Amino acid sequence: MRIPLAGYGWKEIIFFCAIMIIGCALSICFFPYVCPLFLFGLFFVLYFFRDPYRVIPECDDKLISPADGTIVEIADMFEDNYLKDKAVKIAIFMSVLSVHVNRIPYAGTVE
């Protein structure tokens, strides 16, 4: 079974998992009661960098959310940095328990 992890985060996954595994091994030798904290940290790193498979509907007229989370605001605004025009702002709150992978919500080209 393949664990779906985000490919862009391998350096962080290896770094933090190595710290957690070394910490767990050292704590078993010296302070065994601390080992569950390192195991929890190891689980959290793997959980944070997960990248589950998503079924994307085959619709050309639908806009799919680019991220997991909760929509906290939908507002009309004037975007003055790039568009310099009116736009719709959709704010998505992502907790540490959300999947932190952003996907392409609509077919197109970024210029």
Side-chain angles (χ1 to χ4, degrees):
M1 183 172 114
R2 178 184 165 276
I3 299 173
L5 295 175
Y8 61 85
W10 278 110
K11 287 190 271 185
E12 291 84 359
I13 292 169
I14 291 169
F15 176 75
F16 288 113
C17 285
I19 289 173
M20 296 302 156
I21 291 170
I22 291 169
C24 187
L26 290 175
S27 69
I28 287 174
C29 296
F30 300 107
F31 304 104
Y33 52 86
V34 181
C35 186
L37 293 175
F38 287 106
L39 291 176
F40 176 77
L42 178 65
F43 172 75
F44 181 77
V45 168
L46 295 175
Y47 184 78
F48 184 83
F49 284 101
R50 71 194 187 283
D51 185 10
Y53 178 74
R54 297 283 192 246
V55 177
I56 308 298
E58 296 292 329
C59 301
D60 290 336
D61 61 342
K62 303 248 190 261
L63 185 63
I64 309 300
S65 176
D68 289 359
T70 304
I71 295 176
V72 293
E73 180 182 7
I74 300 175
D76 292 323
M77 62 171 285
F78 185 82
E79 200 290 317
D80 56 352
N81 289 327
Y82 299 103
L83 298 176
K84 301 193 185 331
D85 199 2
K86 292 186 286 184
V88 177
K89 172 185 170 182
I90 302 174
I92 302 172
F93 171 76
M94 295 172 58
S95 76
V96 290
L97 301 177
S98 297
V99 174
H100 284 74
V101 174
N102 289 316
R103 294 172 170 82
I104 300 171
Y106 194 77
T109 303
V110 177
E111 296 181 11

